[in-house]
Amino acid sequence: MKKSFITSLRSVGMAALSYALVAGSPLAAMAKPLTVGFAQVGAESAWRTAETESIKAEGTKRKVNLKFSDAQGKQENQIKAVKSFIAQGVDAIIIAPVVETGWEPVLREAKRAKIPVVLVDRGIKVSDDSLYSTLIASDFVSEGKMAAEWLAKKVNEKASIVELQGTPGAAPAIDRKKGFEAGISKYPAMKIIASQSGDFRRSGGKEVMEALLKKYGNEVTAVYAHNDDMALGAIQAIEEAGKKPGTDVVVVSVDGVKGAFEAMVSGKLNCTVECNPLLGPMAFDAVEQAIKGEKLPKKTVVQDKAYDQSTAKDVIASRQY
Ligand code: AHR
């Protein structure tokens, strides 16, 4: 009798305990729609728009209350957005960081508020990597190397190259430069004769290319652009200078957007190294796992591959962005 009384007391206690655990726990949070803040870089390129659409679409599919912020290319706007997400008490924050540095203070605020942060597409430099849950991104160094290798083969290891860099301080600009330089270092006759930022924008690529063509003229035999939008701008500048892009000047870039495939089909762009922007499903998987307190890998690398004119026609119809 005494024993069964104690047993029932125990079960009531266990039930109350599990209710308390569930009610105040991530499980309870999972039951109601999640509220997630997404601090996006901006809309500087077709790639960026594809990434935004992927995250918005996946959020809708999972019935997430998504708070979207476009930082218009400015880190200060992103930091403001993250602070506002924290003040609103969101369940998690996704950030595609404009630049690599300057994140520690705001990430500490998020950590203090126990809000997990998932980084997408671009990495950051912090002294304490517990400030974010995970990063889902391509390997930009390897993209730069792939572009270099492809170009070396195309030009028989000899070229005077104009490099169009992305946004200064951004992980893809830093790492695509590093990877490309490492890639061409094996070929003494492949030289970067000029390297300037076009800020990942088509207009930036065009302006920089116009100026560099005026300065270097026929000396330029190849262009390496850190993204397709700048390559497409450069192609316009090359045509306006009376040259044939893809023939007089070999053009190689990174991203793999539809416009790049169209330019390859028309013979104006020679090669693009794909960088997949369709990160929505992976980002929300990570958000859900982080909220549940699961341990995530510090980085998940998205696999990329190079496409050139020889395959562009066959794959263009199946491109999703
Ligand atoms: O971070 C990814 C890069 O950012 C893409 O290559 C580029 O198009 C974008 O703006």
Side-chain angles (χ1 to χ4, degrees):
M1 172 70 182
K2 197 173 169 197
K3 202 172 175 195
S4 70
F5 178 65
I6 291 172
T7 313
S8 348
L9 261 186
R10 246 195 220 138
S11 356
V12 171
M14 286 305 285
L17 181 65
S18 19
Y19 175 76
L21 278 174
V22 170
S25 80
L27 279 178
M30 296 298 288
K32 62 175 171 57
L34 292 180
T35 297
V36 177
F38 175 32
Q40 176 59 295
V41 171
E44 73 281 4
S45 64
W47 188 100
R48 185 67 49 202
T49 306
E51 187 194 49
T52 297
E53 279 168 10
S54 172
I55 289 184
K56 284 186 174 174
E58 191 63 26
T60 306
K61 196 170 147 197
R62 298 189 192 207
K63 302 195 179 3
V64 168
N65 172 22
L66 187 70
K67 295 181 178 294
F68 177 76
S69 161
D70 174 333
Q72 308 196 329
K74 293 198 174 88
Q75 185 187 33
E76 66 210 69
N77 292 344
Q78 272 195 313
I79 290 174
K80 266 188 218 150
V82 173
K83 280 176 182 281
S84 136
F85 295 150
I86 296 170
Q88 292 170 65
V90 298
D91 296 302
I93 298 172
I94 301 174
I95 310 176
V98 178
V99 288
E100 281 189 337
T101 55
W103 290 102
E104 295 223 10
V106 76
L107 291 185
R108 282 195 198 292
E109 285 179 36
K111 192 175 175 183
R112 270 199 296 275
K114 297 192 173 28
I115 300 173
V117 171
V118 168
L119 303 178
V120 288
D121 123 55
R122 295 181 179 181
I124 57 172
K125 293 234 180 310
V126 280
S127 57
D128 171 7
D129 73 3
S130 75
L131 291 175
Y132 62 92
S133 302
T134 191
L135 161 67
I136 301 160
S138 289
D139 179 341
F140 300 133
V141 174
S142 134
E143 290 173 348
K145 282 186 185 156
M146 277 194 254
E149 281 304 334
W150 190 93
L151 183 61
K153 271 199 198 113
K154 172 75 181 169
V155 299
N156 295 323
E157 302 174 12
K158 188 178 189 310
S160 296
I161 306 157
V162 160
E163 179 185 32
L164 300 173
Q165 295 183 39
T167 306
I174 296 167
D175 290 349
R176 287 176 186 161
K177 179 168 188 50
K178 206 188 280 170
F180 187 80
E181 283 174 351
I184 63 167
S185 65
K186 292 178 248 165
Y187 310 106
M190 289 186 69
K191 297 260 179 271
I192 296 176
I193 55 169
S195 181
Q196 273 184 39
S197 172
D199 201 23
F200 284 128
R201 294 170 190 279
R202 189 185 284 228
S203 55
K206 183 168 188 279
E207 275 160 34
V208 171
M209 195 64 207
E210 275 166 1
L212 294 176
L213 279 172
K214 273 191 194 124
K215 187 165 176 196
Y216 295 97
N218 291 340
E219 208 189 318
V220 181
T221 61
V223 171
Y224 165 51
H226 289 189
N227 80 344
D228 287 339
D229 279 69
M230 290 190 295
L232 295 172
I235 285 171
Q236 246 180 294
I238 295 166
E239 285 181 318
E240 285 170 16
K243 294 173 194 296
K244 275 183 109 182
T247 311
D248 299 334
V249 182
V250 176
V251 186
V252 182
S253 64
V254 186
D255 273 359
V257 299
K258 205 52 164 265
F261 277 81
E262 285 161 2
M264 286 195 290
V265 170
S266 62
K268 297 178 182 182
L269 178 74
N270 298 86
C271 167
T272 185
V273 177
E274 179 179 53
C275 175
N276 194 339
L278 308 178
L279 303 177
M282 287 173 87
F284 282 104
D285 282 350
V287 160
E288 288 176 8
Q289 286 169 282
I291 290 173
K292 281 190 234 162
E294 288 175 21
K295 180 122 182 78
L296 289 161
K298 221 62 231 181
K299 182 171 180 184
T300 300
V301 179
V302 181
Q303 294 307 318
D304 303 315
K305 97 181 222 209
Y307 291 90
D308 62 18
Q309 293 177 355
S310 67
T311 47
K313 223 185 234 148
D314 302 331
V315 295
I316 192 165
S318 63
R319 298 297 299 165
Q320 289 178 63
Y321 63 96

